[in-house]
Amino acid sequence: MEFELSIHLALILFFVAIFAGFIDSIAGGGGLLTIPVLMWVGLSPTAALATNKLQACGGSFFASFYFIRKGVIKLSEIKWAILCAFIGASMGTIGVQLIDASILEILLPFLILSLGGYFLFSKKMSDQDRHQVLGVGAFALTAALGVGFYDGFFGPGTGSFFALAFVSLLGFGLAKATAHAKVLNLATNIASLIFFALGGKVLWLLGGIMLFGQAVGASLGASLVLSQGTKLVKPLVVSMSLIMSIKILMTQYAIFG
């Protein structure tokens, strides 16, 4: 696919990616910024989604690296969850090409609003670890696989769904859950990117520029997750849930369009 990238557009995309990476590392929803901008500069919807996965890999990688370096995450404890998230996303990326996603599109705004409401009102949303409901293996085969499939199939709010699963099923505190969610989100992003790359849909130069922006924003956001914890993550997740729901409903019903 041919695309002429000027210095002016490269700078715009770079700074958009910084902000998106910052938001995404804390609450998810960075794709609400990057995908419309990628389409605004002239990419087709498929190319925008594919290139977005490349730059999203940068954000989730650098956020994950920061959390691992700070000792918040032990990869050996979630290796099966990482594998199942990767498999789920691969299945979802294949499945979206075979299955009608219209029902999910109708339900999604209400699912995301429910997620925001849970974060807002649940007493479990604190920085303290709580009672674990599932074992790590069962978590991998259910939540990690299921949310991974969702990310490959559709995608909005994946990081928040992973964080919710870690809080409600493994009893993690919110900051710890957010950190672990980024690692699983990295696995799902890589899985989707592989399938898009095989189809020749990724614009590597453009996505690479945004990847560096994501790296800057994600590193800043990840540091704030650990220093500010629930008082930062909780309101941002609730806000992004509301924004995502409104955006999806406006798209579905062609409001203002």
Side-chain angles (χ1 to χ4, degrees), residues 186-253:
L186 173 60
T188 61
N189 283 337
I190 291 173
S192 293
L193 177 61
I194 289 172
F195 283 94
F196 279 128
L198 289 173
K201 303 297 185 182
V202 182
L203 275 71
W204 294 98
L205 177 59
L206 190 156
I209 290 170
M210 296 186 73
L211 185 150
F212 282 107
Q214 278 269 348
V216 175
S219 298
L220 291 171
S223 66
L224 286 177
V225 168
L226 297 187
S227 63
Q228 300 298 317
T230 300
K231 63 182 180 181
L232 174 68
V233 177
K234 187 174 179 177
L236 266 180
V237 170
V238 172
S239 299
M240 290 307 295
S241 297
L242 180 61
I243 292 169
M244 279 189 280
S245 299
I246 292 172
K247 174 67 169 60
I248 294 167
L249 284 170
M250 287 175 64
T251 301
Q252 285 177 5
Y253 297 104

Coordinates of all heavy atoms in Angstrom, one line a residue, residues 186-253:
L186 N 0.1 -6.9 25.7 CA 1.2 -7.0 24.8 C 1.2 -8.3 24.0 O 1.4 -8.3 22.7 CB 2.6 -7.0 25.5 CG 3.8 -7.2 24.7 CD1 4.0 -6.2 23.6 CD2 5.1 -7.2 25.6
A187 N 0.8 -9.4 24.6 CA 0.7 -10.7 24.0 C -0.4 -10.7 22.9 O -0.2 -11.2 21.8 CB 0.4 -11.8 25.0
T188 N -1.5 -10.1 23.2 CA -2.6 -10.0 22.3 C -2.3 -9.1 21.1 O -2.7 -9.3 19.9 CB -3.9 -9.6 22.9 OG1 -3.8 -8.2 23.5 CG2 -4.4 -10.5 24.0
N189 N -1.6 -8.0 21.4 CA -1.2 -7.1 20.3 C -0.2 -7.7 19.3 O -0.4 -7.6 18.1 CB -0.5 -5.8 20.9 CG -1.5 -4.8 21.5 OD1 -2.7 -4.8 21.1 ND2 -1.1 -4.0 22.4
I190 N 0.7 -8.5 19.8 CA 1.7 -9.2 19.0 C 1.0 -10.2 18.1 O 1.2 -10.4 16.9 CB 2.8 -9.9 19.8 CG1 3.7 -8.8 20.5 CG2 3.6 -10.8 19.0 CD1 4.7 -9.4 21.5
A191 N 0.0 -11.0 18.7 CA -0.7 -12.0 18.0 C -1.5 -11.4 16.8 O -1.4 -11.8 15.7 CB -1.7 -12.7 18.9
S192 N -2.2 -10.3 17.1 CA -2.9 -9.6 16.0 C -2.0 -9.0 15.0 O -2.3 -9.1 13.8 CB -3.8 -8.5 16.6 OG -4.8 -9.0 17.4
L193 N -0.9 -8.4 15.4 CA 0.1 -7.8 14.5 C 0.6 -8.9 13.5 O 0.8 -8.6 12.3 CB 1.2 -7.2 15.2 CG 2.3 -6.6 14.4 CD1 1.8 -5.5 13.5 CD2 3.5 -6.1 15.3
I194 N 0.9 -10.1 14.0 CA 1.4 -11.1 13.1 C 0.5 -11.4 12.0 O 0.9 -11.5 10.8 CB 1.7 -12.4 14.0 CG1 2.9 -12.2 14.9 CG2 1.9 -13.6 13.0 CD1 3.1 -13.3 15.9
F195 N -0.8 -11.6 12.3 CA -1.8 -11.9 11.2 C -2.0 -10.7 10.3 O -2.2 -10.9 9.1 CB -3.1 -12.3 11.9 CG -3.1 -13.7 12.4 CD1 -2.8 -14.0 13.7 CD2 -3.3 -14.8 11.6 CE1 -2.7 -15.3 14.2 CE2 -3.3 -16.1 12.1 CZ -3.0 -16.3 13.4
F196 N -2.0 -9.5 10.8 CA -2.1 -8.3 9.9 C -0.9 -8.2 9.0 O -1.0 -7.9 7.8 CB -2.2 -7.0 10.7 CG -3.7 -6.8 11.2 CD1 -3.9 -6.5 12.5 CD2 -4.7 -6.8 10.3 CE1 -5.2 -6.3 13.0 CE2 -6.0 -6.5 10.7 CZ -6.3 -6.3 12.1
A197 N 0.3 -8.5 9.6 CA 1.6 -8.4 8.8 C 1.6 -9.5 7.7 O 2.0 -9.2 6.6 CB 2.8 -8.6 9.7
L198 N 1.1 -10.7 8.0 CA 1.0 -11.7 7.0 C 0.1 -11.3 5.8 O 0.3 -11.7 4.7 CB 0.5 -13.0 7.6 CG 1.5 -13.7 8.6 CD1 0.8 -14.9 9.3 CD2 2.7 -14.2 7.8
G199 N -0.9 -10.5 6.1 CA -1.8 -10.0 5.1 C -1.3 -8.8 4.4 O -2.0 -8.2 3.5
G200 N -0.1 -8.3 4.8 CA 0.5 -7.1 4.1 C -0.2 -5.8 4.4 O -0.2 -4.9 3.6
K201 N -0.9 -5.7 5.6 CA -1.7 -4.5 5.9 C -1.0 -3.5 6.7 O -1.5 -2.4 6.9 CB -2.9 -5.0 6.6 CG -3.8 -6.0 5.9 CD -4.3 -5.5 4.6 CE -5.3 -6.5 4.0 NZ -5.8 -6.0 2.7
V202 N 0.2 -3.8 7.2 CA 0.9 -2.9 8.1 C 1.8 -1.9 7.4 O 2.6 -2.2 6.5 CB 1.8 -3.6 9.1 CG1 2.4 -2.7 10.1 CG2 0.9 -4.7 9.9
L203 N 1.7 -0.6 7.7 CA 2.6 0.5 7.2 C 3.7 0.6 8.3 O 3.5 1.3 9.3 CB 1.9 1.8 7.0 CG 1.2 1.9 5.6 CD1 -0.1 1.0 5.6 CD2 0.8 3.4 5.4
W204 N 4.8 0.0 8.0 CA 5.9 -0.1 9.0 C 6.6 1.2 9.4 O 6.8 1.4 10.6 CB 6.9 -1.1 8.5 CG 6.4 -2.5 8.4 CD1 5.9 -3.1 7.2 CD2 6.1 -3.5 9.4 NE1 5.4 -4.4 7.5 CE2 5.5 -4.6 8.8 CE3 6.3 -3.5 10.8 CZ2 5.2 -5.7 9.5 CZ3 6.0 -4.6 11.5 CH2 5.4 -5.7 10.9
L205 N 6.8 2.1 8.4 CA 7.5 3.3 8.8 C 6.6 4.2 9.6 O 7.0 4.7 10.7 CB 7.9 4.1 7.5 CG 8.5 5.5 7.7 CD1 9.8 5.4 8.5 CD2 8.8 6.1 6.4
L206 N 5.4 4.3 9.2 CA 4.4 5.2 9.9 C 4.2 4.6 11.3 O 4.2 5.3 12.3 CB 3.1 5.2 9.1 CG 2.0 6.2 9.6 CD1 1.1 6.5 8.4 CD2 1.2 5.6 10.8
G207 N 3.9 3.3 11.4 CA 3.7 2.6 12.7 C 4.9 2.7 13.6 O 4.8 2.8 14.8
G208 N 6.1 2.6 13.0 CA 7.4 2.7 13.7 C 7.6 4.1 14.4 O 8.0 4.1 15.6
I209 N 7.2 5.1 13.7 CA 7.3 6.5 14.3 C 6.4 6.6 15.5 O 6.7 7.1 16.5 CB 6.9 7.5 13.2 CG1 8.0 7.6 12.1 CG2 6.7 8.9 13.8 CD1 7.6 8.4 10.9
M210 N 5.2 6.1 15.3 CA 4.2 6.1 16.4 C 4.6 5.2 17.6 O 4.3 5.5 18.7 CB 2.8 5.7 15.9 CG 2.2 6.7 14.9 SD 0.5 6.3 14.4 CE -0.4 6.9 15.9
L211 N 5.3 4.1 17.2 CA 5.8 3.2 18.3 C 6.7 3.9 19.2 O 6.6 3.7 20.5 CB 6.5 2.0 17.6 CG 6.9 0.9 18.5 CD1 6.9 -0.4 17.7 CD2 8.3 1.1 19.1
F212 N 7.6 4.8 18.7 CA 8.5 5.5 19.6 C 7.7 6.5 20.4 O 8.1 6.7 21.6 CB 9.6 6.3 18.7 CG 10.6 5.4 18.2 CD1 10.7 5.0 16.9 CD2 11.6 4.9 19.1 CE1 11.7 4.2 16.4 CE2 12.6 4.0 18.7 CZ 12.7 3.7 17.3
G213 N 6.7 7.1 19.9 CA 5.8 8.0 20.7 C 5.1 7.2 21.8 O 5.1 7.7 22.9
Q214 N 4.6 6.1 21.5 CA 4.0 5.2 22.4 C 5.0 4.9 23.6 O 4.6 4.8 24.7 CB 3.5 3.9 21.8 CG 2.2 4.1 21.1 CD 1.0 3.7 22.0 OE1 1.2 3.2 23.1 NE2 -0.2 4.0 21.5
A215 N 6.2 4.6 23.2 CA 7.2 4.3 24.2 C 7.4 5.4 25.3 O 7.5 5.1 26.5 CB 8.6 4.0 23.5
V216 N 7.4 6.6 24.8 CA 7.6 7.7 25.7 C 6.3 7.9 26.6 O 6.4 8.0 27.8 CB 7.8 9.1 24.9 CG1 7.8 10.3 25.8 CG2 9.1 9.0 24.1
G217 N 5.1 7.9 26.0 CA 3.9 8.0 26.7 C 3.7 6.9 27.7 O 3.3 7.1 28.9
A218 N 3.9 5.7 27.3 CA 3.7 4.5 28.1 C 4.6 4.5 29.3 O 4.2 4.1 30.4 CB 3.8 3.2 27.3
S219 N 5.8 4.9 29.1 CA 6.8 4.9 30.2 C 6.4 5.9 31.3 O 6.4 5.6 32.5 CB 8.2 5.2 29.7 OG 8.6 4.2 28.8
L220 N 5.9 7.1 30.8 CA 5.4 8.1 31.8 C 4.2 7.6 32.5 O 4.1 7.8 33.8 CB 5.1 9.4 31.0 CG 6.3 10.1 30.4 CD1 5.8 11.3 29.5 CD2 7.2 10.7 31.5
G221 N 3.3 7.0 31.8 CA 2.0 6.6 32.4 C 2.3 5.4 33.4 O 1.7 5.4 34.5
A222 N 3.1 4.5 33.0 CA 3.4 3.3 33.9 C 4.0 3.8 35.2 O 3.7 3.3 36.3 CB 4.4 2.4 33.2
S223 N 4.9 4.8 35.2 CA 5.5 5.3 36.4 C 4.4 5.9 37.3 O 4.5 5.8 38.6 CB 6.6 6.3 36.1 OG 6.0 7.5 35.5
L224 N 3.4 6.6 36.7 CA 2.3 7.2 37.5 C 1.4 6.1 38.1 O 0.9 6.3 39.2 CB 1.5 8.2 36.7 CG 2.2 9.5 36.4 CD1 1.4 10.4 35.5 CD2 2.5 10.3 37.7
V225 N 1.2 5.0 37.4 CA 0.4 3.9 38.0 C 1.0 3.5 39.3 O 0.2 3.3 40.3 CB 0.3 2.7 37.0 CG1 -0.2 1.5 37.7 CG2 -0.5 3.1 35.8
L226 N 2.3 3.3 39.4 CA 2.9 2.8 40.6 C 3.0 3.9 41.7 O 2.8 3.6 42.9 CB 4.3 2.3 40.3 CG 4.4 1.1 39.4 CD1 5.8 0.6 39.3 CD2 3.5 0.0 39.8
S227 N 3.1 5.1 41.3 CA 3.2 6.2 42.3 C 1.9 6.7 42.8 O 1.7 7.1 44.0 CB 4.0 7.4 41.8 OG 3.4 8.0 40.7
Q228 N 0.9 6.7 41.9 CA -0.5 7.2 42.3 C -1.5 6.2 42.6 O -2.5 6.4 43.3 CB -1.0 8.1 41.2 CG 0.0 9.3 40.9 CD 0.1 10.2 42.0 OE1 -0.9 10.6 42.7 NE2 1.3 10.7 42.3
G229 N -1.4 5.0 41.9 CA -2.3 3.9 42.2 C -3.7 4.1 41.9 O -4.1 4.8 40.9
T230 N -4.6 3.7 42.8 CA -6.0 3.7 42.6 C -6.6 5.1 42.3 O -7.5 5.3 41.5 CB -6.8 3.1 43.8 OG1 -6.4 1.8 44.0 CG2 -8.3 3.2 43.6
K231 N -6.0 6.1 43.0 CA -6.6 7.5 42.9 C -6.4 8.1 41.5 O -7.1 9.0 41.1 CB -6.0 8.4 43.9 CG -4.5 8.7 43.8 CD -4.0 9.6 45.0 CE -2.5 9.8 44.9 NZ -2.1 10.7 46.0
L232 N -5.4 7.5 40.7 CA -5.2 7.9 39.3 C -5.9 6.9 38.4 O -6.7 7.3 37.5 CB -3.8 7.9 39.0 CG -3.4 8.2 37.5 CD1 -3.8 9.6 37.1 CD2 -1.9 8.0 37.2
V233 N -5.8 5.6 38.6 CA -6.3 4.6 37.6 C -7.8 4.6 37.6 O -8.4 4.6 36.6 CB -5.7 3.2 38.0 CG1 -6.3 2.2 37.1 CG2 -4.2 3.2 37.9
K234 N -8.4 4.6 38.8 CA -9.9 4.4 38.9 C -10.6 5.5 38.1 O -11.5 5.2 37.3 CB -10.3 4.4 40.3 CG -11.7 4.1 40.6 CD -12.0 4.0 42.1 CE -13.5 3.7 42.4 NZ -13.7 3.5 43.8
P235 N -10.4 6.8 38.3 CA -11.1 7.8 37.6 C -10.8 7.8 36.1 O -11.7 8.1 35.3 CB -10.7 9.2 38.2 CG -9.4 8.9 38.9 CD -9.5 7.4 39.4
L236 N -9.6 7.5 35.7 CA -9.3 7.4 34.3 C -10.0 6.3 33.6 O -10.5 6.4 32.5 CB -7.8 7.3 34.1 CG -7.1 8.7 33.9 CD1 -5.6 8.4 33.7 CD2 -7.6 9.4 32.7
V237 N -10.1 5.1 34.3 CA -10.8 4.0 33.7 C -12.3 4.3 33.5 O -12.9 4.0 32.5 CB -10.6 2.7 34.5 CG1 -11.5 1.6 34.1 CG2 -9.2 2.2 34.5
V238 N -12.9 4.9 34.6 CA -14.3 5.3 34.5 C -14.5 6.3 33.4 O -15.5 6.1 32.6 CB -14.7 5.8 35.8 CG1 -16.2 6.4 35.7 CG2 -14.7 4.8 36.9
S239 N -13.6 7.3 33.3 CA -13.8 8.3 32.2 C -13.6 7.7 30.8 O -14.4 8.0 29.9 CB -12.7 9.4 32.4 OG -12.9 10.0 33.7
M240 N -12.6 6.8 30.6 CA -12.4 6.2 29.3 C -13.5 5.3 29.0 O -13.8 5.1 27.8 CB -11.0 5.5 29.3 CG -9.8 6.5 29.4 SD -9.8 7.7 28.1 CE -9.7 6.8 26.6
S241 N -14.1 4.6 29.9 CA -15.2 3.7 29.7 C -16.4 4.5 29.1 O -17.1 4.1 28.2 CB -15.6 3.0 30.9 OG -14.6 2.1 31.4
L242 N -16.7 5.6 29.7 CA -17.8 6.5 29.3 C -17.5 7.0 27.9 O -18.4 7.0 27.0 CB -17.9 7.7 30.3 CG -19.1 8.7 29.9 CD1 -20.4 8.0 29.9 CD2 -19.1 9.8 31.0
I243 N -16.3 7.5 27.6 CA -15.9 8.1 26.3 C -16.0 7.0 25.3 O -16.5 7.2 24.2 CB -14.5 8.7 26.4 CG1 -14.5 9.9 27.3 CG2 -14.0 9.0 25.0 CD1 -13.1 10.4 27.6
M244 N -15.4 5.8 25.5 CA -15.5 4.7 24.6 C -16.9 4.3 24.2 O -17.3 4.1 23.1 CB -14.8 3.5 25.1 CG -13.3 3.5 24.9 SD -12.4 1.9 25.3 CE -12.4 2.0 27.1
S245 N -17.8 4.3 25.2 CA -19.2 3.9 25.0 C -19.9 4.9 24.1 O -20.6 4.6 23.2 CB -19.9 3.8 26.3 OG -19.4 2.8 27.1
I246 N -19.7 6.2 24.4 CA -20.3 7.3 23.6 C -19.8 7.3 22.2 O -20.6 7.4 21.2 CB -20.0 8.7 24.3 CG1 -20.7 8.8 25.6 CG2 -20.4 9.8 23.3 CD1 -20.3 10.0 26.4
K247 N -18.5 7.1 22.0 CA -17.9 7.0 20.7 C -18.5 5.9 19.9 O -18.8 6.1 18.7 CB -16.4 6.8 20.8 CG -15.6 6.6 19.5 CD -15.7 7.9 18.6 CE -14.7 7.7 17.4 NZ -15.0 6.6 16.5
I248 N -18.6 4.7 20.5 CA -19.1 3.5 19.7 C -20.6 3.7 19.4 O -21.0 3.4 18.3 CB -18.9 2.2 20.6 CG1 -17.4 1.9 20.7 CG2 -19.6 1.0 19.9 CD1 -17.1 0.9 21.8
L249 N -21.4 4.3 20.3 CA -22.8 4.5 20.0 C -22.9 5.6 18.9 O -23.8 5.5 18.1 CB -23.5 5.0 21.3 CG -23.8 3.9 22.4 CD1 -24.2 4.6 23.7 CD2 -24.8 3.0 21.9
M250 N -22.1 6.6 18.9 CA -22.2 7.6 17.9 C -21.9 7.0 16.5 O -22.5 7.4 15.5 CB -21.2 8.8 18.2 CG -21.6 9.7 19.3 SD -20.4 10.9 19.8 CE -20.3 11.9 18.3
T251 N -20.9 6.1 16.5 CA -20.5 5.5 15.3 C -21.7 4.6 14.8 O -22.0 4.6 13.6 CB -19.2 4.6 15.4 OG1 -18.2 5.5 15.9 CG2 -18.8 3.9 14.1
Q252 N -22.3 3.8 15.7 CA -23.3 2.9 15.3 C -24.5 3.6 14.7 O -25.1 3.2 13.7 CB -23.8 2.1 16.5 CG -22.8 1.0 17.0 CD -23.3 0.3 18.2 OE1 -24.4 0.6 18.7 NE2 -22.5 -0.6 18.8
Y253 N -24.9 4.7 15.3 CA -26.1 5.4 14.9 C -25.9 6.7 14.1 O -26.7 7.5 13.9 CB -26.9 5.8 16.2 CG -27.4 4.6 16.9 CD1 -26.8 4.2 18.1 CD2 -28.4 3.8 16.4 CE1 -27.2 3.0 18.8 CE2 -28.8 2.6 17.1 CZ -28.2 2.2 18.3 OH -28.6 1.1 18.9

